[in-house]
């Protein structure tokens, strides 16, 4: 067996690989316990008439956004079962919210924990599975719907501190518009509440 790669993130090494190139679960036992949070997004693109039905909860299969919210929350909790090298974490909070536009719905998933490693993968998994759930609910009426733009928006906690896609340190979580409740979704093109 090869020696375990103990090189730090600062050197640019891939910590999930050992010196012999085989995969490993990173040893996080020496890392400090901190409050950690991450927000990720995914987008489902569809036709305007389908998005109108989605926002109104009037799709043939029912309220797709309510189902997708629960799917995303469940997915965050299952991340280490789906992504082989993820650590099981004591997740303290998961939110899944939606910003409804004319021809797309953006899913925003925020995951929080108090632990020794971050929750970016849990947030990405929540956003992705929620997007898959939306697709499943609309595929009968739009077989051409597209899932796209899955990415981390922001993270905080741990040694590396806060990071956001826009480059504003300390920006984490979802906007007030996105967290306004199960039935309310923001229209990003209008710049306000739906």
């Amino acid at each position: 067996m090869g020696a375990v790669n103990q090189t730090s993130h600062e050197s640019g090494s891939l910590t999930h690989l050992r010196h012999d190139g085989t995969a490993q679960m990173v040893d996080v036992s020496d890392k400090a316990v901190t409050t950690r949070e991450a927000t990720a997004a995914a987008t489902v693109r569809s036709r305007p008439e389908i998005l109108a039905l989605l926002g109104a909860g009037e799709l043939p299969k029912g309220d797709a956004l309510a189902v997708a919210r629960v799917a995303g929350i469940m997915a965050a909790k299952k991340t280490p079962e789906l992504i082989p090298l993820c650590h099981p974490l004591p997740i303290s909070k998961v939110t899944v919210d939606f910003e409804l536009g004319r021809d797309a719905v953006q899913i925003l998933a925020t995951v929080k924990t108090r632990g020794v490693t971050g929750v970016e993968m849990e947030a990405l998994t929540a956003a992705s599975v929620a997007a898959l759930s939306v697709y499943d609910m609309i595929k009968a009426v739009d077989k051409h719907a597209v899932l796209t733009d899955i990415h981390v928006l922001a993270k905080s906690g741990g040694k590396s501190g806060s990071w956001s896609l826009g480059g504003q340190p300390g920006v984490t979580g979802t906007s007030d518009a996105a967290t306004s409740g199960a039935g309310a979704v923001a229209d990003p093109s209008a710049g306000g509440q739906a």
Side-chain angles (χ1 to χ4, degrees):
M1 292 228 139
V4 175
N5 180 354
Q6 295 295 332
T7 311
S8 69
H9 291 288
E10 287 77 19
S11 70
S13 279
L14 297 175
T15 57
H16 282 89
L17 294 178
R18 297 168 6 144
H19 289 297
D20 64 358
T22 57
Q24 70 171 348
M25 189 173 192
V26 176
D27 182 358
V28 295
S29 58
D30 290 334
K31 293 176 75 174
V33 172
T34 65
T35 299
R36 298 164 186 264
E37 185 173 311
T39 299
T43 300
V44 179
R45 299 194 182 283
S46 186
R47 300 191 315 267
E49 62 270 24
I50 304 302
L51 270 292
L53 292 172
L54 177 69
E58 296 176 355
L59 286 166
K61 288 188 177 182
D63 189 349
L65 298 183
V67 172
R69 176 174 283 115
V70 174
I73 292 168
M74 290 175 65
K77 297 189 288 184
K78 296 281 189 180
T79 300
E81 295 174 35
L82 300 169
I83 310 297
L85 301 180
C86 280
H87 295 82
L89 298 174
I91 293 174
S92 55
K93 182 179 181 182
V94 181
T95 60
V96 178
D97 295 292
F98 308 93
E99 291 183 356
L100 191 62
R102 182 177 175 276
D103 60 359
V105 58
Q106 184 180 46
I107 295 101
L108 300 166
T110 299
V111 180
K112 188 174 184 180
T113 190
R114 184 153 175 79
V116 295
T117 190
V119 284
E120 295 92 330
M121 292 307 300
E122 286 76 8
L124 285 165
T125 301
S128 300
V129 171
L132 288 166
S133 181
V134 169
Y135 179 86
D136 180 53
M137 297 288 281
I138 67 173
K139 71 181 189 291
V141 289
D142 184 5
K143 290 178 173 52
H144 301 288
V146 174
L147 281 65
T148 186
D149 299 326
I150 299 167
H151 58 284
V152 176
L153 292 173
K155 69 164 285 290
S156 66
K159 184 177 178 182
S160 62
S162 296
W163 172 90
S164 71
L165 187 62
Q168 300 173 10
V171 177
T172 59
T174 56
S175 67
D176 290 339
T179 58
S180 56
V185 289
D187 180 351
S189 64
Q193 294 275 137

